[in-house]
Amino acid sequence: QVQLVESGGGLVQPGGSLRLSCAVSGFTLDYYAIGWFRQAPGKEREGVSCINNSDGSTNYQDSVKGRFTISRDNAKNTIYLQINSLKPEDTAVYYCAATFRGCFWSEYEYDYWGQGTQVTVSS
């Protein structure tokens, strides 16, 4: 059974940091690209970062470049998203998702999704 489970969200002050984790099971992480998406209240879900399965290359949306870092630990079947210099506009539910097609920004290219973890940035 394929599962992706996010963790690490929470309430943090502006300028703070969080590390989100995405633990996967039921499939071999080597063969899947993993994307991180987020959905803020009243907004569409958007992709923020992705790491490719083929070469480990990474992609970031312009709005998060320099603040977000995606990484993977295949031995632990876990993907991480380090988020620094958090801003109130980063408040959203963060999801990880898996696709064997390589990194895409469209959520429709992803086959498996986690349940999400809430990140709230507020003073």
Side-chain angles (χ1 to χ4, degrees), residues 2-64:
V2 173
Q3 276 193 315
L4 294 87
V5 180
E6 301 94 337
S7 61
L11 174 63
V12 63
Q13 291 186 343
S17 298
L18 283 174
R19 189 176 79 157
L20 307 184
S21 299
C22 172
V24 307
S25 60
F27 64 91
T28 303
L29 193 55
D30 292 1
Y31 301 122
Y32 284 80
I34 302 294
W36 281 98
F37 290 76
R38 66 185 181 185
Q39 187 166 23
K43 295 188 176 181
E44 294 186 352
R45 188 153 55 184
E46 63 170 350
V48 295
S49 185
C50 185
I51 187 164
N52 275 294
N53 51 309
S54 57
D55 58 3
S57 58
T58 58
N59 302 274
Y60 300 94
Q61 281 289 5
D62 288 344
S63 58
V64 306

Side-chain angles (χ1 to χ4, degrees), residues 57-113:
S57 58
T58 58
N59 302 274
Y60 300 94
Q61 281 289 5
D62 288 344
S63 58
V64 306
K65 280 181 181 176
R67 300 189 299 120
F68 288 23
T69 303
I70 190 171
S71 61
R72 63 195 294 157
D73 186 335
N74 286 5
K76 294 184 178 180
N77 284 342
T78 301
I79 303 294
Y80 302 100
L81 186 68
Q82 177 69 39
I83 309 176
N84 298 327
S85 303
L86 276 157
K87 304 175 181 180
E89 52 263 42
D90 294 319
T91 295
V93 178
Y94 284 71
Y95 301 88
C96 60
T99 175
F100 63 87
R101 288 179 280 275
C103 283
F104 287 91
W105 291 125
S106 170
E107 62 180 298
Y108 301 106
E109 297 291 342
Y110 290 78
D111 305 293
Y112 306 108
W113 290 83

